[in-house]
Amino acid sequence: PSIVQIRQRYFGRLCEVFTVMDVFLGIDTSCYTTSLCLVDSQYGVVADERQALSVRAGGRGLSQSEMVYQHVRNLPALTENLAPYLAGNTIRAVAVTDKPRRRADSYMPAFLSGLGCARALAAVLGVPLYRISHQENHLLAVLRTAGHIDGTAFRALHLSGGTTELLLARPDADGLDITRTGGTSDISAGQFIDRVGVALGLPFPAGKAVEELSRGCLADAAGGAVWSSGGEISFSGREAELQRRIAAGKTSAGALCAETLQTVWQGILRLVDWSGRDGNIPLLAAGGVMENSFLRRTLADYAKKKGFVFIPAEKGYSADNASGAAFWAAWRSKQGGAV
């Protein structure tokens, strides 16, 4: 074969292996996880790199200074892990979480780690930088699965280690305009689960271990009564009771974990019923607690029974991740800032 034919065959094979495309980078540095995510122009995940923050055995969280230290340590390694996915591709925009919620008084040093990294990357690459809150990132991760943002309002549950809130959200040019319409008056669902889990000797965060231990016990477990009034619920009384039973050692770990999850469901049920005041509009759900298979399945069944649309995050994307931010970077770039 001629030199020209050899070149054509060689480069043709390279084109089969490498698909050149535009990609969009999301960054999130939360209380639990350092996250980077790349999506393509069709909002499919190209790469998803995460590193859970380390908590000492028996601990129930980290100080902000420790979070910042671990994020600063994790970000270079995760960025290096993305490098193979960037070969031949072009980052067109970066989006980053810069605060817990979109409010003037919302601040947490942990998010400065990701913000600094995102600002540096966007400046060097010469691409737009979009800033959203951690809460918006969670809900946008759900909307990424749908593949569009239609501008209409929706209800949402944000259930995580630090937050249990009922929300009314409406997309706008900056992300999501979110109003809290209910939630916990004390500890979050995630704190409830973690505190019970740690008391049982499980690692923090304890969600996965609690779910595993609860298997086989859920059918026989009954959730305890959850105080509720005007869209507010409380888990602290139930947590104190379970702590007393753990200290007494009279109930198996599996039964206690199952009862904990059934109690969380009772709280979710009261919030969902309260949210009906906002009309029969779709209900989205995100946050680490919504990774729990029992809660996802039970809420989906309840939505079907009551006749409303329930949209959870894709499995694996309820917990802390940066796919919502990456989706927002891609959406804003394609829409030119309009929603």
Side-chain angles (χ1 to χ4, degrees):
S2 68
I3 295 297
V4 172
Q5 289 173 322
I6 292 173
R7 286 176 178 172
Q8 288 174 338
R9 290 177 186 176
Y10 176 73
F11 287 111
R13 288 173 183 170
L14 279 180
C15 289
E16 291 176 4
V17 176
F18 299 106
T19 301
V20 178
M21 58 185 174
D22 292 340
V23 292
F24 304 85
L25 175 63
I27 301 175
D28 180 50
T29 49
S30 69
C31 297
Y32 297 95
T33 311
T34 313
S35 306
L36 277 72
C37 184
L38 285 174
V39 303
D40 59 27
S41 58
Q42 300 303 310
Y43 316 128
V45 173
V46 176
D48 180 11
E49 295 291 334
R50 309 180 206 177
Q51 178 62 57
L53 304 188
S54 300
V55 179
R56 62 175 176 79
R60 300 199 302 195
L62 295 168
S63 67
Q64 283 294 312
S65 61
E66 180 63 21
M67 291 179 201
V68 170
Y69 168 74
Q70 292 198 38
H71 285 313
V72 170
R73 185 184 61 190
N74 292 341
L75 282 166
L78 296 183
T79 304
E80 289 167 355
N81 291 344
L82 289 183
Y85 301 95
L86 295 174
N89 299 327
T90 303
I91 295 178
R92 294 298 184 185
V94 178
V96 62
T97 57
D98 63 354
K99 62 177 71 71
R101 298 171 180 80
R102 193 209 287 187
R103 291 194 329 224
D105 63 346
S106 184
Y107 170 76
M108 191 173 285
F111 293 102
L112 296 180
S113 311
L115 178 59
C117 179
R119 289 178 61 186
L121 286 172
V124 169
L125 296 172
V127 299
L129 173 65
Y130 303 110
R131 296 164 63 153
I132 59 172
S133 69
H134 178 69
Q135 190 167 67
E136 289 170 281
N137 173 60
H138 268 300
L139 299 184
L140 287 165
V142 184
L143 294 177
R144 182 191 67 82
T145 304
H148 70 280
I149 303 174
D150 62 13
T152 59
F154 58 86
R155 298 175 291 168
L157 282 170
H158 182 190
L159 307 174
S160 68
T163 302
T164 291
E165 291 185 331
L166 178 65
L167 310 166
L168 183 63
R170 185 181 296 276
D172 61 18
D174 296 317
L176 298 173
D177 182 15
I178 297 173
T179 302
R180 184 186 184 279
T181 59
T184 56
S185 59
D186 43 47
I187 63 172
S188 69
Q191 286 174 312
F192 178 32
I193 293 169
D194 286 335
R195 290 180 181 185
V196 171
V198 170
L200 289 169
L202 304 177
F204 179 93
K208 290 183 179 180
V210 167
E211 178 174 7
E212 190 63 32
L213 280 175
S214 72
R215 299 186 194 281
C217 301
L218 285 164
D220 298 324
V226 175
W227 176 89
S228 65
S229 177
E232 299 298 320
I233 62 173
S234 170
F235 289 120
S236 60
R238 298 298 305 158
E239 189 246 334
E241 180 186 340
L242 290 179
Q243 293 284 6
R244 288 193 292 270
R245 287 164 57 190
I246 291 170
K250 296 181 179 180
T251 309
S252 73
L256 286 165
C257 290
E259 186 174 340
T260 298
L261 295 181
Q262 288 282 14
T263 301
V264 170
W265 165 242
Q266 291 301 315
I268 292 173
L269 181 60
R270 283 155 178 76
L271 290 178
V272 171
D273 286 346
W274 176 261
S275 75
R277 295 161 59 93
D278 294 321
N280 191 28
I281 56 178
L283 174 71
L284 277 62
V289 173
M290 287 309 303
E291 279 295 317
N292 183 276
S293 298
F294 164 72
L295 296 176
R296 289 168 69 96
R297 181 177 66 253
T298 306
L299 184 49
D301 290 344
Y302 189 70
K304 185 176 181 179
K305 175 182 176 182
K306 291 295 184 178
F308 63 83
V309 175
F310 168 57
I311 310 173
E314 179 183 347
K315 189 67 173 175
Y317 288 90
S318 289
D320 287 346
N321 69 94
S323 68
F327 169 57
W328 182 244
W331 179 266
R332 277 293 302 267
S333 296
K334 292 179 71 171
Q335 301 299 315
V339 177

